[in-house]
Amino acid sequence: MFNSFIALSALALVGFVGAWPYDSGCVCTYGDPCWPDAATFAQLESQVSQPLVYPYPTASACYPAANPSGNCSEVIQNWTDGNWRSSFPGSMESPNFESFEFKNGTLSACYLNTSLGIPCEQGNVPVIGVDARTSEDIQAAVKFAVQYNLKLVIKNTGHDFLGRSAARGAFVVWTHNMKNITYDAMFVPQGAPSNETYQGNTYSATGDPIGAHSLMFIAVTLGAGVQWHEAYDAVNQSGRMMVGGISLGGSIGAAGGWLQGGGHSILSPSYGLGVDNAIEITVVTSTGEYLTVNNYQYSDLFWALRGGGGGTYGVVTSVTYHTYESLPVVAYGFQANVTNTTSMQELVAGMLQFPKNLTDDGWGGYAGISNASVTFGILSPNMSTEAANASTQPWTDYAASLQGVSSFAQIYTFASWYEWYMTLFNTSGQNGVDGMTTSRLLSRDTLANQSKDVAKILIGCQGGFNMIAGGKVSQIDPESVGVNPAWRNAVIEAGCSISWDEGTSSNEIQGLISQLRTWISAFYHVAPNDGAYFNEASLFEIDWQTTFFGSHYSRLRGIKDKYDPCRLFVVAEGVGSEEWNKERTCRL
C-alpha cells in the first residue's frame, strides 16, 4: 500500500483527466481523478533544478517493503535528532503529525516500533514535491500547483506544533536546501529613498527607527532553508549575534515559519522579537510573482509576513535581519527541590511575580516545573556580575525563605552569547515524540493579579514558561508589524503539553486531548485578553482568530485576499482558514 501511494509508476496509473473544476470549491489531492499523471509531473521536473522528491514517513526505512533503500539502524540512532529529521522532506518534529486519522478513528501511520505489527502507511505525509534551491524553482512549483489546483504545503524543517507543513495527498514545496547566507555591512533596503536616514539597530519607544546615520545596516540575509545553528555560526564569524530561536542542535528554521509567527528568542527582552528585527523579505505569491518586500515597497505584505502566520501569504525565499555586536553575557541558574504541594504552589506563584522586573533588566530565559522540582535559567547580554546579582537577588532570597523548599542559585559568565549557546545547545534531541502543546501569553496584569491561578495550572500540567517578552518587546509600537498586539503587553509565555507512545489508541489520544482542552480553557479564563503565540499552541485554542492575531485579524485577512487571490496557501488556524473544512481541502 505504501509503495503504491508514492511511486511515480503508481501516479501514472491514476491518469490526468483535465484541470480540476475550480467551481467545486475543492483542491486536488492524490487519488482524485484530477491528480496529474507521471508525464505531467515530468514536465514540471524539467522546469526545476532538482529531481522531484517523493517524501517518506520518517520510520519507513524500518519497513523493507515500504522503503527498501532505507537504513533502519540510522533511523533508530537519529530518531530524536532535529537536524537529522529536518534533512528529509517527509519528516516532522512530532511524528503524530505524520499520521492521518480517518473519521472512523483509525489511523494511517508509520511507527518506529515495528513490533506493533501495524503496516507502514503514508499517513499525512505529502506524496510528491519540489526540492527548491532557487526562487525560480518555487515559482515553477507554485504555478504548477495553481494550474492543477493541488493541495499545497510548504515545509522546511518540520518544527511545527500544529502540523501545518504536512497534509495527506498533498504537493509539497520543500525549502530546506535553500542555504544561502549573505553578510552585508552596508545593506540598503530595496526601494529606500535616498534622503531617508536612520540607524537600523536602534528603535524608539514607538518602534520607529531613530538615529542620524544613513540607511545602512550590518545585516545578514538568510535563505529559506537556513537553520539557526547555521545562522549563528555565520554571524559569529563576523563578530556579531542576532535574535533567533533556541533548540537542541539549532535545527529550527531561521527564515520561515519561526519569523512569520512572530519569532521569540531568549534575547527578545533586550532586542525585540524576530519580526522586530526583519529588514526585508523575498517571497513568491500564488500568482507566481517574486517580490522583495520591506517598509518601502509592498509594505502591507511586509507587515503581514512579520507575525501574520506562516504558510498563509506566499513562500518566503529569504529574510534579511539586523545583527548586533557580539557581547559577553551573564547567566543565572536556579534549581529548587520541593517537599510538599503547598510549598510548590507558593514557590511557583512567587516565581511568576518576578519576570516583569527581570525582563525590564534585559533577562530572558526558560523555566520548567515537575512534581517536586523547579528549574529556571536566564541570561542577559552585557550585564556585569554585580548588576546580575543585584537584579536576581530578590528572587533568590524569596525562594530561600520558603519552608519545604531547598534551592540553589548561581551566576555564570560567558565571553559571548555564542559561547553560551554552544555550551548548552550544541547537541541533539528534543524531537521524535508524539505530542501536542498549548501556550498562553501572560501580561503584567495577569502575573500581578492571578499568579496563584496560573501556578495551579502549571503545577497541574507540569508545564513551564518562556521569559521571552517584556523589556524591549513591550517598547515597540503594536501596529508596527503584523504580530498579535498581545505580545506588547506580555511578559512570559506559559505552556502545557501532552505526549503518548506509538500505537496508543485513538480513544486514549482523545482522552489526552480532552485534558489538553481543559488546560486551554483554564488559561483562557485566567487570561482571556492575553492571546497566544501562533507557533507554539494548539489546534484547539478558543477563538483562534483573536487568540493568535488579536485586533490585527481583519487587516491581515484583507492582505491575504490581496496577495493570494488563488487561495493557494491555507494552513490550520491560519488567516482565512475558517473558509475551509477540517482537512482544508474544500471550501465551506
Side-chain angles (χ1 to χ4, degrees), residues 119-194:
C120 175
E121 297 183 340
Q122 189 77 4
N124 210 41
V125 176
V127 297
I128 191 170
V130 169
D131 177 4
R133 307 295 176 100
T134 66
S135 58
E136 291 81 9
D137 286 344
I138 294 177
Q139 286 176 292
V142 165
K143 290 176 182 178
F144 185 85
V146 170
Q147 180 179 358
Y148 296 102
N149 197 30
L150 303 182
K151 172 63 180 175
L152 177 74
V153 295
I154 308 164
K155 181 180 182 294
N156 176 15
T157 66
H159 279 275
D160 190 342
F161 286 109
L162 289 94
R164 293 171 172 135
S165 52
R168 183 172 176 81
F171 174 72
V172 62
V173 175
W174 188 39
T175 63
H176 177 69
N177 291 309
M178 300 181 73
K179 296 289 190 180
N180 288 343
I181 299 177
T182 304
Y183 184 77
D184 193 339
M186 302 289 283
F187 183 83
V188 178
Q190 194 174 110
S194 58

Side-chain angles (χ1 to χ4, degrees), residues 8-15 37-38:
L8 186 59
S9 58
L11 292 176
L13 294 175
V14 175
D37 62 12

Side-chain angles (χ1 to χ4, degrees), residues 153-442:
V153 295
I154 308 164
K155 181 180 182 294
N156 176 15
T157 66
H159 279 275
D160 190 342
F161 286 109
L162 289 94
R164 293 171 172 135
S165 52
R168 183 172 176 81
F171 174 72
V172 62
V173 175
W174 188 39
T175 63
H176 177 69
N177 291 309
M178 300 181 73
K179 296 289 190 180
N180 288 343
I181 299 177
T182 304
Y183 184 77
D184 193 339
M186 302 289 283
F187 183 83
V188 178
Q190 194 174 110
S194 58
N195 63 346
E196 188 77 30
T197 60
Y198 65 80
Q199 182 179 353
N201 282 350
T202 304
Y203 288 89
S204 70
T206 64
D208 298 319
I210 58 175
H213 293 68
S214 62
L215 189 61
M216 298 177 181
F217 310 102
I218 301 178
V220 64
T221 299
L222 307 178
V226 174
Q227 293 164 274
W228 278 119
H229 72 94
E230 296 163 329
Y232 294 149
D233 290 346
V235 298
N236 181 68
Q237 291 174 17
S238 297
R240 308 293 289 180
M241 64 181 186
M242 62 186 299
V243 173
I246 295 290
S247 65
L248 295 179
S251 57
I252 295 172
W258 178 85
L259 174 76
Q260 292 170 69
H264 72 61
S265 168
I266 197 169
L267 292 174
S268 288
S270 293
Y271 300 105
L273 297 170
V275 293
D276 302 323
N277 285 275
I279 305 168
E280 190 167 271
I281 300 172
T282 58
V283 59
V284 174
T285 67
S286 65
T287 59
E289 294 177 278
Y290 173 73
L291 304 178
T292 299
V293 305
N294 52 45
N295 280 323
Y296 308 95
Q297 52 189 33
Y298 308 105
S299 58
D300 55 347
L301 181 56
F302 184 52
W303 183 87
L305 287 171
R306 290 176 294 161
T312 301
Y313 309 94
V315 185
V316 168
T317 63
S318 72
V319 179
T320 302
Y321 288 105
H322 292 292
T323 66
Y324 298 89
E325 177 188 0
S326 181
L327 298 172
V329 300
V330 60
Y332 170 83
F334 171 87
Q335 182 169 351
N337 295 318
V338 187
T339 60
N340 60 79
T341 56
T342 300
S343 296
M344 178 64 83
Q345 176 72 28
E346 198 172 1
L347 177 69
V348 176
M351 190 179 192
L352 292 166
Q353 295 286 332
F354 286 89
K356 54 184 180 293
N357 297 324
L358 293 172
T359 56
D360 286 344
D361 288 342
W363 291 97
Y366 312 102
I369 300 163
S370 69
N371 277 331
S373 66
V374 171
T375 57
F376 186 42
I378 55 177
L379 69 77
S380 181
N382 207 30
M383 180 183 287
S384 69
T385 302
E386 293 75 20
N389 274 313
S391 181
T392 57
Q393 197 64 48
W395 162 248
T396 303
D397 292 344
Y398 172 81
S401 71
L402 298 178
Q403 296 293 319
V405 176
S406 174
S407 61
F408 169 82
Q410 187 167 337
I411 297 290
Y412 306 87
T413 58
F414 295 87
S416 66
W417 181 91
Y418 184 76
E419 180 186 341
W420 170 86
Y421 169 78
M422 292 297 288
T423 300
L424 273 68
F425 291 94
N426 188 26
T427 184
S428 62
Q430 202 171 331
N431 282 250
V433 177
D434 291 319
M436 296 181 182
T437 190
T438 183
S439 72
R440 198 77 184 171
L441 298 173
L442 300 180

